[in-house]
Amino acid sequence: MSAASNTARANILGRLKAAPGRPGPDLAPWTPPTYTDKLARFRQMAEANHAEIHDVTAETWPERLATLLNNRGVDRLMVAPGTPRGDALLRAAAQGVPLPTLVPYDQSVEVLKDALVHRVDAGLTGTRGAIAETGTLILWPTAEEPRLLSLLPPLHIAVLEEDTLHDTLAAVVRDQGWAAGMPTNALLISGPSKTSDIEQTLAYGVHGPKELIILLVRKEGE
C-alpha cells in the first residue's frame, strides 16, 4: 500500500473517530400492561369491530340480557341446554325473568337447521376467552354448543368471563395449554360478520350474524 493510500485511510479513520456520536433512542423500560390497560384495549378494539359490550355480573346477566333483547324486539333466542350459560337462562326463564322464547338446541342440525336460519332471532354461546390486542373472542364449539349457534342467527350473544381475557393470541395458547389438545373447530370472532369482496369496501352483516353483543361478566369487586 502506498504512502498516499495510508494517509487517506488514516484521514478517514480520524474523521470517523472525531465525529460526534449519535444519541440512541430514549427507550423507557418495558412494563407489562396492567389489568386495566388490557381491559380498556379489549373494549376499544371490540367496539372498533362493531361489537356491543355490556358489563354484567354472574348474578344479573340474565336480567340484563332480557332487557337488551326486549328492547330490540327479539322474540326467539336459541340456547344450548347442558351448558353453563344455556342452563342459567333456562333457570332464569323458569323463575320469571322476562326473556324471549328460549329455543333449545337439543336435536340434530338436520332437524334444527330451518329454525336456525329462519325462525330464531339470536343465538347464545359461552366463550373460552378473548384477546385484548385485537378485541377477539375465542370459542371452542362442542356437541352441546355447536358453531352454528354463533354463525347462523342474525344476532350472536357471547358471554365472556372477564378473567379469561389475555393480552395476545400467543398468551392464550400458552396459558390455556392449547398444545395439549384442541377441538376440531376453534373460532376467533372479531365483531359481526364482515366482508370486503365487493369493490374492496368493508361491509358488516353481509353473511352470518349482523350484530354481536358481548356480555362481559366482571370479576367480584370490580
Side-chain angles (χ1 to χ4, degrees):
M1 184 178 290
S2 67
S5 296
N6 282 332
T7 300
R9 180 173 180 274
N11 289 338
I12 292 171
L13 292 176
R15 287 196 298 271
L16 290 173
K17 291 177 181 178
R22 293 184 178 179
D26 185 14
L27 297 178
W30 181 83
T31 56
T34 66
Y35 180 82
T36 301
D37 293 338
K38 182 167 59 176
L39 185 59
R41 178 64 172 171
F42 172 76
R43 190 181 298 274
Q44 175 191 24
M45 296 304 296
E47 290 177 346
N49 286 324
H50 292 216
E52 184 178 314
I53 302 178
H54 297 272
D55 291 346
V56 296
T57 69
E59 293 75 25
T60 64
W61 73 268
E63 291 85 353
R64 179 62 172 150
L65 179 59
T67 300
L68 291 170
L69 297 185
N70 287 329
N71 289 342
R72 276 178 161 79
V74 170
D75 292 323
R76 295 168 66 84
L77 169 64
M78 185 167 278
V79 300
T83 65
R85 298 308 174 189
D87 287 347
L89 277 194
L90 290 168
R91 286 194 302 270
Q95 294 165 1
V97 176
L99 288 154
T101 299
L102 299 183
V103 181
Y105 195 113
D106 57 1
Q107 300 179 75
S108 69
V109 64
E110 288 76 19
V111 174
L112 292 175
K113 63 182 179 182
D114 183 65
L116 276 164
V117 175
H118 300 296
R119 293 190 283 112
V120 297
D121 305 304
L124 176 97
T125 71
T127 60
R128 186 173 176 86
I131 304 166
E133 183 179 56
T134 54
T136 301
L137 298 174
I138 303 165
L139 276 63
W140 281 21
T142 64
E144 294 76 24
E145 190 177 271
R147 68 196 301 256
L148 294 180
L149 267 177
S150 66
L151 294 179
L152 289 182
L155 170 60
H156 176 205
I157 301 131
V159 183
L160 171 65
E161 299 285 347
E162 189 179 31
D163 58 4
T164 62
L165 181 60
H166 293 74
D167 292 323
T168 64
L169 177 59
V172 179
V173 172
R174 180 192 66 234
D175 296 344
Q176 294 187 353
W178 287 21
M182 293 181 63
T184 303
N185 290 302
L187 304 181
L188 301 178
I189 298 175
S190 300
S193 66
K194 48 189 171 289
T195 183
S196 57
D197 290 344
I198 302 172
E199 296 183 352
Q200 302 301 302
T201 299
L202 184 61
Y204 288 84
V206 175
H207 55 81
K210 295 175 173 57
E211 295 181 273
L212 171 62
I213 292 177
I214 301 172
L215 299 178
L216 182 62
V217 182
R218 302 301 301 269
K219 293 174 11 179
E220 294 295 329
E222 291 290 327

